[in-house]
């Protein structure tokens, strides 16, 4: 995808190492576990360093342009990467490419049949054990609340709007984790069902970032456009999913890519988390997602968790043992409304002690609007 800053801030892209605050701290949609984000971060940083070194050796305009196009192809030619890590210093040479790779819940190269770095999980590959007893009971209660919640259908030409507050790791590259400053993020997601290249908009750190599908060199925008689906969820698409929890879970496993060595159950858990965090969906679909989550092995309940806004709640969680992290979906303990999500370290590592927050986000407002960039009429600042 191509993410290009709008307005005066665009001039700041000429500063090679001053870009950390300009990229959206978005979520995500289809987020990797922190360990996998760190892996892709390592790979991307190596590519950036290589481009930067080449730029220093031959800093002529033609080389810069060609390097940018090369990088755009690199990130635009493959299947969807699900990354939430986005705050690292980077040379201006590849700033647009990094923004494209990291903006929002969508990333570059989305589209079926273009090759994947991982493989799809086997259909129905969840473990029979399911979640803990307390998690299953809690998820059943959450599902019942979701089922009773009235949701107005979202039209094809509208946008789902979510305002959140959060923070991410801003520590030195591959070093100790340091949570950044809490800040607001607004996102608008197009609800069009047909293939599009203009997906939405992120407003963060004082500037707007269009979310667009990257068009590889030599390909027409029409061929690169992405329809509604797992890589670009919409209300109508979510409404088309099975509402039987077991059938829904099989669909999720069949359509979730898993990198070699990673935990397929964790990937599916994360995918559900992405869908419930920044989308609007029918009541029956939301209830089915929670009931399906109860069937995933390793899902547990956390009695007390705090979201990015400081609100205490109960959490549905799952530990990624390989990467020593635990993802927690936080719910209001009284109403069982969704509050937010955070990732914490589940044991001591070289980068952080157990309990250290890696990233955190709290949903402050969710609505449907008619235009990209439009705020709800009753919008109030938290």
């Amino acid at each position: 995808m191509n993410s290009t800053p709008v307005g005066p801030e665009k001039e700041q892209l000429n500063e090679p190492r001053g870009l950390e605050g300009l990229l959206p701290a978005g979520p995500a949609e289809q987020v990797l576990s922190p360990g996998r984000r760190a892996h892709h971060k390592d790979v991307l940083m190596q590519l950036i360093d290589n481009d930067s070194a080449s730029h220093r050796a031959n800093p002529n305009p033609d080389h810069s342009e060609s390097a940018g196009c090369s990088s755009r192809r690199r990130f635009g030619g493959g299947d969807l990467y699900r990354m939430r890590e986005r705050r690292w210093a980077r040379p201006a040479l590849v700033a647009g490419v990094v923004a494209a790779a990291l903006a929002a819940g969508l990333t570059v190269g989305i589209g079926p049949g273009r090759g994947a770095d991982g493989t799809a999980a086997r259909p129905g590959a969840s473990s029979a054990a399911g979640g803990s007893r307390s998690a299953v009971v809690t998820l059943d209660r959450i599902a019942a609340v979701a089922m009773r919640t009235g949701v107005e259908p979202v039209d094809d030409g509208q946008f789902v709007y979510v305002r959140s507050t959060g923070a991410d790791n801003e520590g030195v590259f591959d070093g100790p984790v340091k949570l950044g400053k809490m800040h607001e993020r607004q996102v608008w997601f197009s609800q069009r069902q047909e293939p599009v290249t203009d997906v939405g908009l992120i407003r963060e750190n004082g500037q707007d970032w269009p979310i667009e599908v990257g068009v590889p060199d030599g390909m027409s925008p029409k061929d690169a456009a992405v329809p509604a689906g797992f890589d670009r969820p919409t209300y109508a698409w979510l409404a088309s999913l099975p509402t039987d929890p077991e059938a829904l879970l099989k669909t999720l496993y069949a359509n979730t890519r898993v990198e070699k060595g990673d935990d397929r159950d964790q990937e599916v858990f994360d995918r559900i988390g992405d869908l419930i965090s920044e989308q609007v969906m029918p009541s029956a679909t939301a209830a089915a997602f929670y009931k399906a989550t109860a069937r995933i092995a390793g899902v547990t309940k956390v009695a007390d968790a705090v979201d990015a806004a400081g609100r205490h709640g109960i959490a549905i969680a799952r530990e990624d043992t390989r990467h020593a992290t635990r993802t927690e979906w936080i719910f209001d303990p009284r109403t069982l409304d969704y509050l937010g999500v955070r990732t914490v370290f589940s044991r001591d590592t070289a980068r952080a002690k157990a309990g250290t927050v890696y990233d955190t986000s709290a949903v402050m407002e969710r609505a449907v609007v008619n235009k990209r960039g439009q705020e709800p009429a009753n919008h109030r600042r938290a």
Side-chain angles (χ1 to χ4, degrees), residues 4 32 43 86 100 102 105 156 159 165 167 172 174 186 300 327 339 344-345 347 377:
T4 307
L32 285 171
V43 173
R86 55 258 151 198
L102 303 178
D156 189 73
F159 290 79
T165 186
V172 296
D174 207 27
Q186 295 169 285
T300 60
T327 303
L339 298 180
V344 300
F345 280 84
R347 65 172 184 269

Side-chain angles (χ1 to χ4, degrees), residues 281-293:
M281 66 186 73
S283 303
T285 306
F289 273 125
Y290 292 125
K291 290 184 177 181
T293 301

Side-chain angles (χ1 to χ4, degrees), residues 212-223:
E212 300 170 346
V213 176
V215 181
D217 294 347
M219 179 180 288
S220 72
K222 181 179 179 181
D223 291 335

Side-chain angles (χ1 to χ4, degrees), residues 2 16 43 53 107 121 148 158 212 271 277 289 313 320 338 363:
N2 302 323
V43 173
T107 48
R148 293 195 300 267
Q158 293 182 302
E212 300 170 346
R271 167 153 280 186
S277 64
F289 273 125
D320 187 338
Y338 178 88
V363 173

Side-chain angles (χ1 to χ4, degrees), residues 17 36-37 50 52 66 68 85 94 101 163 170 198 219 226 267 329 332 353 374 382:
R17 293 284 171 180
R36 293 309 301 166
R37 292 200 299 272
N50 291 340
S52 182
S66 122
E85 184 73 57
V94 292
R163 179 170 61 91
E170 291 186 349
D198 185 0
M219 179 180 288
V226 178
E267 294 296 322
W329 308 342
D332 185 286
K353 291 186 176 297
Q374 176 186 13

